[in-house]
Amino acid sequence: MKKNSAPNRFVWICLAALLISAAAVIVFFAWKRARSENPALEIENAWLRFRMGEYKQAEKTFGRVLESVPRDSEIHFQALYGLGCALWLKLPSPDKASAEKIFKEIIRTAPESEYTPWSMLALARMLHIVPSDQTPDYPAVRKEYEALYEKFPNHIAAHEAFAYMIGTY
């Protein structure tokens, strides 16, 4: 009987490990689904990661929100704007071309969105902020800042654009 008990013990240990693994997988997917059921909380988490310089994690979180919300919702544009910022400012290798495409998409598809003026400001800042061995094209930069200020004169992004524009003279 002792000869038989070692294999039985092994089988029971394997079954217990399998059950624990299955439970862990179920809990993980329930947790992941619960997180995507609250996109506002995920957006908040993505911005926190962004501010901490964890751009790749912010990128993933903004992307996850984009997959889980309707394309015409304001939270979609918030996540899209956040993704554009994460791509633009991600170190050590920013993806300015993709960020520019995203900001232009927001402006084109959601002209009345809260994120349109911010996207316009981001595009202007992309022109204004250049490597230290280069000089910005100040007339082009001013034109972008002025366009934002003229289109959204009461928006805080336009006030910020005005302040930056003054510094280009």
Side-chain angles (χ1 to χ4, degrees):
M1 201 157 221
K2 286 184 179 182
K3 194 176 191 185
N4 232 359
S5 68
N8 283 342
R9 188 175 305 137
F10 178 75
V11 169
W12 283 109
I13 290 172
C14 288
L15 283 174
L18 183 64
L19 285 172
I20 290 170
S21 298
V25 167
I26 289 169
V27 167
F28 171 75
F29 282 109
W31 172 74
K32 190 173 180 181
R33 192 182 84 221
R35 284 188 353 181
S36 64
E37 287 177 2
N38 190 346
L41 186 59
E42 280 209 68
I43 290 280
E44 187 178 315
N45 180 38
W47 281 117
L48 176 64
R49 291 184 179 276
F50 176 85
R51 286 189 301 275
M52 292 174 58
E54 298 174 1
Y55 300 114
K56 288 185 181 188
Q57 288 300 319
E59 223 179 296
K60 288 178 186 177
T61 307
F62 285 127
R64 194 168 46 245
V65 171
L66 286 170
E67 293 171 359
S68 70
V69 297
R71 288 187 57 82
D72 61 345
S73 66
E74 192 67 9
I75 200 153
H76 172 83
F77 296 113
Q78 183 180 11
L80 199 56
Y81 174 76
L83 179 60
C85 289
L87 289 168
W88 169 31
L89 299 168
K90 152 178 85 171
L91 297 174
S93 53
D95 186 353
K96 288 185 177 184
S98 295
E100 182 178 351
K101 185 177 175 183
I102 287 172
F103 295 137
K104 287 180 177 179
E105 178 184 342
I106 293 169
I107 294 164
R108 181 179 49 77
T109 60
E112 301 303 316
S113 169
E114 170 71 15
Y115 296 95
T116 294
W118 291 112
S119 295
M120 291 175 72
L121 180 61
L123 289 171
R125 296 295 291 155
M126 289 172 87
L127 285 175
H128 195 176
I129 301 170
V130 296
S132 61
D133 62 336
Q134 297 176 14
T135 302
D137 179 356
Y138 287 117
V141 170
R142 280 192 287 273
K143 182 178 175 187
E144 294 299 317
Y145 288 141
E146 287 171 2
L148 169 55
Y149 191 78
E150 286 176 12
K151 187 166 185 176
F152 299 99
N154 296 320
H155 195 279
I156 192 166
H159 298 192
E160 194 172 323
F162 185 79
Y164 288 131
M165 184 176 62
I166 291 170
T168 65
Y169 288 98

